[in-house]
Amino acid sequence: MRPGYLWLATFLLLPVAGAPLLAHRAFGSLSRPCRAALSAAVGAVLVSLVMTLSALASIPWSVPALTAAATGAAALLRLALKADPDGGTGPGRAVGDPRPDRGVRRALPLLCALSAGAAVAIAADAAATGAATSVDLVLFWGPKAQAFAAARTIDPAYLAAPALEYMNRSYPPLVTNLCALATMSAGRLPWGAVGILFPLLLAALALALPGLLGRAGARDSGTAATALSVAALAYLGIRFEVGGNGDMPLWLFEALAAASLVGPLGRDGSMPLLSGLLLAGAVTSKVEGLPFAAAVLALFFATRGRQLNTRGVVLLVTPPAVALGSWFLFGASRGLFTGYRGFGRLFDVQLERLPAILSAVGAVLRSAAGGLPFLLPLLFALVAAPRLRAAIVPAGAAAALVLFFVFTYLHGGLDSREWILWTAGRIFAPVAFLLAIAGASRPDPESLVVRRSSPEDSLRGD
Amino acid sequence: MPGGPAAPAARPRRRTLADFVGLAGSVLLVGAAFVRLPPASDLFRTPETPFDYTQAGEAVQIFLFLTEAASRIPAGASVSVRSNPPDRIAEERWRRFAQALLPGRRVEWSSGAPADILLVPGPRPDSPSGTLLYETPTGGVWKTAPR
């Protein structure tokens, strides 16, 4: 088998690793494609975590051992789920739309699926023809993965080399870990194949998102929001060239984590655990995953925290804390880093540069089809007009990310215009799918049961 | 996003409208993405490099040059990349490419310790130092004279 195919085929181990957890009947009402995609996402988080912990313990990596350990971890996590007192249909329970579909509306899910499929196909063609590859693949994601695969660990000497300081030694480990895993399988890093991860992960998003958004009965809105999110990310991924870098993995984890927190939580712990694992994926994919996770958790606890018992809180918060903690512990134990590199003192900002920064960010976002990838999800959310309480997590996270990125840019020096030009299109992309998810958000029927006395109201899907 | 209750019939109608807005928006964005693809004649062509149609146009030549060098330069050799005409910024960028594409070789700064092998992407320099090992349309490779 050619190295490129072998390299890509290695990623089939990820759904295998995550399967023991997603095979639990708590997730039984999610569709098979949705569960398969979520298994891959969970498997990615667990394999990467095992790789980081192995590096921390100075145990050399081997593909079978890592896969087996991650699969075992998924099986152990399965034990953390309790039987649902309602009969085990869990948080994936689909609530049917009370109104029968008529006419063109009946075709809506199919049309949305076709649109999402077309977006994935276009992203695949762009990646395969060399139209979407990120230069960062060659500048740091790829060489790090290649070096770690050769060393069969996260090589501290490589990260510490002064000549390689530009490779951002504290960047979180998930993407380089998984690329190193595939490189160990294939024998070398096939540069042309790495960019294919962009459409593959986009396809995973297209499979998983409708299931998560459909849990509260918002099936049509879920498919529409998915089509919109996938098309926006396909466009932005090609326009700002994300093939082979950490952006698409981050977007996948962020979108799924946000979607998992807008629906019912169930009583078996399955959804907090899944959300926690997806947040762990986000915080270990790219630095921007940390403010995202912080915003999502703060908004969730502020608005729905009372719906979780202590066990649910632990299941939600522990995975991202362990994933990020193990990375920082590795950095500290090797004398490399104790946290992310900052951009100067926290409040040492240049407020007078705010208009210039907003103008530069606006110019970058407008350069993406006139800003349509952001304006269309905003329009979708405004027309859908979800209840604020239902949409607060994704909508609030979108607002928090915008504020955080602008605040970060305020720390830049004179060259921040170039910095913005290089990064804004990619780092603001989550705003697009967070708005789409906000538009598809519906109140959790269980919370309505608590707040309202009328059983009819509690079953009204909206 | 109103926080108060809405009339039951009005909300599903808004939902339906929103769903069609979402669908129409996704079709529009799919069209915009399609326009960014390479020309129709190249849609199914295997690219020479992962950067053939990216905005990083110069990456194509340096990628071709260094992947060719990777198949010819022995492991363990020290290399440095020199630009012609001299350009410190380009040399630093190419050094980073060399770190990625020449694994197992020691990549030196062009201004640093003398390397065994000198890589010069692009046109041949007027006064090359050392012995020409090979030359391709994307650049030349010299074995430097012992010092």
Side-chain angles (χ1 to χ4, degrees):
Chain A
M1 191 185 268
R2 289 171 61 180
Y5 293 118
L6 193 55
W7 194 90
L8 288 170
T10 306
F11 287 87
L12 290 173
L13 294 173
L14 302 181
V16 173
L21 179 63
L22 269 295
H24 191 280
R25 67 177 188 151
F27 301 101
S29 54
L30 297 173
S31 69
R32 279 172 195 248
C34 176
R35 290 167 86 180
L38 289 173
S39 292
V42 167
V45 173
L46 294 177
V47 169
S48 172
L49 178 60
V50 170
M51 293 176 86
T52 304
L53 292 173
S54 300
L56 189 57
S58 301
I59 300 169
W61 290 342
S62 101
V63 176
L66 291 168
T67 311
T71 310
L76 282 177
L77 287 173
R78 182 190 169 101
L79 299 177
L81 303 183
K82 286 200 304 194
D84 190 319
D86 288 346
T89 49
R93 176 177 49 236
V95 180
D97 194 322
R99 289 159 186 273
D101 291 343
R102 283 178 303 181
V104 69
R105 188 175 172 85
R106 195 183 300 165
L108 189 81
L110 176 64
L111 293 173
C112 287
L114 286 174
S115 179
V120 172
I122 287 169
D125 193 78
T129 52
T133 311
S134 168
V135 175
D136 285 350
L137 166 64
V138 175
L139 292 181
F140 55 91
W141 296 104
K144 271 178 159 178
Q146 193 170 242
F148 298 166
R152 301 211 161 241
T153 189
I154 301 171
D155 186 355
Y158 189 83
L159 289 177
L164 305 178
E165 200 177 353
Y166 64 92
M167 288 196 189
N168 302 308
R169 64 180 63 147
S170 65
Y171 257 37
L174 183 138
V175 177
T176 43
N177 278 354
L178 297 179
C179 288
L181 182 87
T183 303
M184 288 192 295
S185 283
R188 70 177 178 85
L189 189 130
W191 295 97
V194 188
I196 305 294
L197 288 179
F198 163 45
L200 285 181
L201 298 180
L202 199 59
L205 181 64
L207 293 176
L209 199 53
L212 287 176
L213 289 175
R215 287 173 304 132
R219 272 183 296 211
D220 286 354
S221 298
T223 54
T226 300
L228 196 51
S229 300
V230 170
L233 293 184
Y235 177 84
L236 292 170
I238 297 169
R239 168 66 183 82
F240 296 108
E241 297 171 352
V242 303
N245 73 12
D247 285 303
M248 190 59 228
L250 175 72
W251 297 344
L252 174 73
F253 287 117
E254 286 184 339
L256 297 182
S260 69
L261 287 171
V262 296
L265 298 170
R267 299 177 199 175
D268 51 17
S270 56
M271 205 41 63
L273 177 60
L274 178 64
S275 305
L277 288 166
L278 294 168
L279 287 173
V283 298
T284 50
S285 288
K286 281 194 82 188
V287 177
E288 301 96 280
L290 183 55
F292 167 81
V296 159
L297 287 175
L299 289 160
F300 177 82
F301 284 118
T303 55
R304 298 184 66 189
R306 280 187 302 174
Q307 292 176 37
L308 280 188
N309 56 18
T310 308
R311 190 171 145 274
V313 173
V314 169
L315 290 174
L316 176 60
V317 172
T318 304
V322 168
L324 198 59
S326 62
W327 176 237
F328 287 152
L329 188 59
F330 173 82
S333 68
R334 304 301 192 271
L336 295 168
F337 53 84
T338 52
Y340 291 136
R341 184 174 65 95
F343 296 97
R345 290 181 188 168
L346 183 61
F347 294 108
D348 193 6
V349 295
Q350 302 162 42
L351 266 181
E352 69 279 6
R353 298 183 60 248
L354 182 61
I357 284 168
L358 293 179
S359 161
V361 169
V364 172
L365 302 189
R366 276 197 309 277
S367 77
L372 283 180
F374 303 95
L375 294 175
L376 289 169
L378 178 63
L379 180 65
F380 172 70
L382 290 175
V383 174
R387 296 222 167 93
L388 184 60
R389 191 177 175 83
I392 189 71
V393 170
L401 285 182
V402 169
L403 292 175
F404 176 80
F405 294 141
V406 170
F407 181 71
T408 304
Y409 284 143
L410 283 171
H411 290 76
L414 291 172
D415 60 346
S416 65
R417 190 169 285 269
E418 196 172 331
W419 183 21
I420 291 168
L421 197 64
W422 182 243
T423 56
R426 294 178 288 118
I427 66 174
F428 280 91
V431 173
F433 59 73
L434 289 171
L435 288 173
I437 291 169
S441 301
R442 294 192 182 190
D444 173 8
E446 289 174 15
S447 71
L448 292 177
V449 171
V450 173
R451 287 195 297 125
R452 294 175 178 161
S453 55
S454 160
E456 274 180 27
D457 278 347
S458 71
L459 294 174
R460 202 180 68 202
D462 198 348
Chain B
M1 295 171 199
R11 193 166 275 265
R13 270 203 296 276
R14 286 196 75 128
R15 282 282 178 193
T16 304
L17 179 62
D19 294 346
F20 280 102
V21 166
L23 173 62
S26 74
V27 171
L28 200 60
L29 290 171
V30 165
F34 183 77
V35 170
R36 297 199 70 87
L37 287 178
S41 57
D42 288 352
L43 276 183
F44 301 104
R45 188 181 67 87
T46 305
E48 279 191 291
T49 78
F51 302 102
D52 281 14
Y53 288 100
T54 64
Q55 294 157 74
E58 67 157 20
V60 173
Q61 292 303 307
I62 192 75
F63 190 93
L64 287 171
F65 177 59
L66 291 173
T67 45
E68 172 72 22
S71 66
R72 298 198 189 204
I73 296 175
S78 67
V79 301
S80 75
V81 191
R82 196 77 51 89
S83 68
N84 178 37
D87 179 344
R88 295 283 300 271
I89 294 173
E91 284 179 0
E92 174 56 16
R93 199 160 50 239
W94 296 344
R95 179 183 76 85
R96 296 177 181 190
F97 267 70
Q99 289 284 1
L101 299 171
L102 298 173
R105 287 78 165 183
R106 226 173 44 251
V107 181
E108 307 284 1
W109 271 293
S110 55
S111 57
D116 302 333
I117 291 171
L118 190 63
L119 305 163
V120 185
R124 183 193 281 224
D126 294 335
S127 53
S129 57
T131 313
L132 180 68
L133 289 178
Y134 71 88
E135 207 167 18
T136 70
T138 53
V141 176
W142 277 264
K143 183 163 179 53
T144 53
R147 296 171 203 211

